[in-house]
Amino acid sequence: MIYLDSAATTFHKPQAVLTAVTRAMRTMSSPGRGGYASAHAAEQALFRCRGLAASMFGVSEPERVIFTMNATHGLNIAIKSLVPPSGRVVVSGYEHNAVTRPLHALGAETVVAASPLFDASACVHAFEHALRRGADAAVCTAASNVFGYALPIERIAALCRRAGVPLIVDASQSAGIMPLDMEALGAAFVAMPGHKGLYGPQGTGLLLCGAETETLIEGGTGSESLRQEMPTFLPDRLEAGTHNIPGIAGLEAGLRFVQSTTPERIARHERALIRRAANGLRQLQGVAVYAAEDADAQLGVLSFASRKREPEEIAEALARRGVAVRAGYQCAPLAHRTAGTLEHGTVRVSVSAFEREADVDGFLYAMRDILKK
């Protein structure tokens, strides 16, 4: 199989991740629930992963790194900690449903700072204009899950700091690829999945907390058990219930892979593959390719559309030829509305550190065959 859907989940994982998950299932039980060896081993796994994430992402206090099920879980905590019912929120034009649906559920006034694809200056100007009236919070994805557009998150963060508006960053497509320093960014929260650019298992994620939090769920924590209120301190306040210890052990191994490979090398590799895919698609008649002229403005995600075939038809035809891609709206109709692709959606191609030029060439060969027919 040629796997080109890493924006959903990186399918190919480092061997160390698989080994760590298996070892954890054989040797670790529940952390904070006993004084025996397997409980201590689980506690140490939590401690190591939390500390590693804090050092990689510029979090001064490791306890402000919260384990979540995924980025959606973390974004819900962040949004519901900052945004009151019917509050005012400024968002980019490229947000995922993981942002827009919680805001809709809160009845928030959502102000979209829309701007053209790959136009960083226009994006900053749109945020500057939208923030003039103030807001309870701003939410911005660091990179679009549809187009790979790397938004100017540092400049947007600076605008939010000057306006006194807390910023939530969705790092779902950027974590492990773009540099991230939580303290320098000054964001209120940064949410990221473990199963994409951090190469961990599904069911893992991180929420970096720079602001006060509200609980999303309540339950046992292994601490302050006589109290019926949740603990006031992190991480216990936000980590109710039993941890996904095999997943967290795998996530630690994934973080170490990213740290040793370096996000810069991973980003260069992904961008080179996406440029190769974009150049090949441009040679095909009737294909619209959504790619940045400046390679640094785009990560390892590319969207395209054909005048001859619907996106879902193309994806199905590619699947029959052993190529995995994503078609439709990619859970981000706002991004399609902003970019002008809402009528039909797109076909999305996305890569990771494990894809090679031969994978891109195989995909392009399949596309040529599909469009001929």
Side-chain angles (χ1 to χ4, degrees):
M1 176 179 65
I2 296 175
Y3 187 79
L4 299 177
D5 195 22
S6 290
T9 293
T10 48
F11 182 71
H12 302 294
K13 308 289 186 185
Q15 180 58 45
V17 172
L18 311 183
T19 301
V21 171
T22 303
R23 183 186 300 120
M25 294 187 74
R26 289 175 174 167
T27 63
M28 299 178 193
S29 58
S30 295
R33 303 321 198 253
Y36 42 87
S38 61
H40 282 312
E43 289 167 9
Q44 288 301 308
L46 282 183
F47 180 80
R48 287 194 308 269
C49 189
R50 203 186 304 276
L52 177 58
S55 66
M56 287 179 65
F57 301 124
V59 182
S60 58
E61 300 172 344
E63 59 268 23
R64 290 192 167 272
V65 176
I66 306 302
F67 292 114
T68 61
M69 295 183 291
N70 43 50
T72 299
H73 181 193
L75 286 166
N76 269 265
I77 293 172
I79 289 168
K80 290 166 185 177
S81 292
L82 294 177
V83 182
S86 304
R88 186 174 192 271
V89 183
V90 176
V91 304
S92 84
Y94 296 92
E95 299 308 313
H96 189 277
N97 279 343
V99 169
T100 58
R101 283 180 171 172
L103 292 176
H104 177 79
L106 287 167
E109 177 194 353
T110 303
V111 180
V112 180
S115 59
L117 262 177
F118 308 119
D119 190 334
S121 295
C123 182
V124 172
H125 178 74
F127 262 94
E128 187 174 29
H129 178 76
L131 289 168
R132 284 175 186 162
R133 285 182 49 209
D136 293 293
V139 188
C140 187
T141 183
S144 167
N145 75 302
V146 178
F147 302 102
Y149 171 26
L151 279 73
I153 197 67
E154 290 85 1
R155 293 164 67 184
I156 291 165
L159 285 175
C160 290
R161 290 196 302 270
R162 287 199 295 270
V165 174
L167 173 65
I168 300 168
V169 177
D170 178 359
S172 293
Q173 300 301 328
S174 63
I177 304 162
M178 289 173 64
L180 172 61
D181 187 321
M182 176 74 171
E183 193 166 348
L185 200 61
F189 296 98
V190 178
M192 62 187 72
H195 65 100
K196 298 186 184 186
L198 301 183
Y199 295 91
Q202 292 100 319
T204 62
L206 298 171
L207 178 66
L208 314 182
C209 299
E212 295 302 312
T213 64
E214 295 293 335
T215 58
L216 189 65
I217 58 173
E218 291 77 37
T221 59
S223 60
E224 298 191 343
S225 294
L226 292 177
R227 286 170 54 100
Q228 286 306 287
E229 300 81 16
M230 287 295 288
T232 58
F233 55 87
L234 296 176
D236 294 36
R237 180 168 178 76
L238 299 179
E239 291 183 0
T242 301
H243 291 82
N244 175 8
I245 291 297
I248 291 168
L251 176 56
E252 181 197 350
L255 288 168
R256 294 196 186 281
F257 168 78
V258 171
Q259 186 181 52
S260 62
T261 308
T262 76
E264 293 77 14
R265 283 177 58 193
I266 293 172
R268 281 197 302 272
H269 173 75
E270 291 189 6
R271 283 170 169 146
L273 293 181
I274 286 301
R275 284 198 300 274
R276 189 179 188 90
N279 290 337
L281 286 168
R282 288 189 181 107
Q283 306 305 312
L284 304 180
Q285 188 176 7
V287 174
V289 183
Y290 300 93
E293 293 183 11
D294 176 7
D296 289 341
Q298 188 168 12
L299 300 187
V301 181
L302 173 73
S303 266
F304 70 93
S306 169
R307 289 197 295 269
K308 296 181 179 180
R309 306 283 291 273
E310 291 293 320
E312 287 80 2
E313 286 184 82
I314 292 175
E316 289 171 7
L318 284 168
R320 289 194 294 271
R321 291 163 173 81
V323 182
V325 298
R326 174 80 184 276
Y329 298 111
Q330 296 88 20
C331 297
L334 178 58
H336 286 281
R337 183 177 293 112
T338 302
T341 55
L342 187 61
E343 185 177 359
H344 298 288
T346 59
V347 181
R348 183 185 70 188
V349 173
S350 52
V351 297
S352 77
F354 290 95
E355 277 68 64
R356 296 293 179 260
E357 289 183 352
D359 296 311
V360 173
D361 293 344
F363 153 71
L364 292 171
Y365 178 86
M367 278 300 303
R368 285 191 289 271
D369 185 51
I370 290 165
L371 294 180
K372 278 182 196 173
K373 297 177 179 179

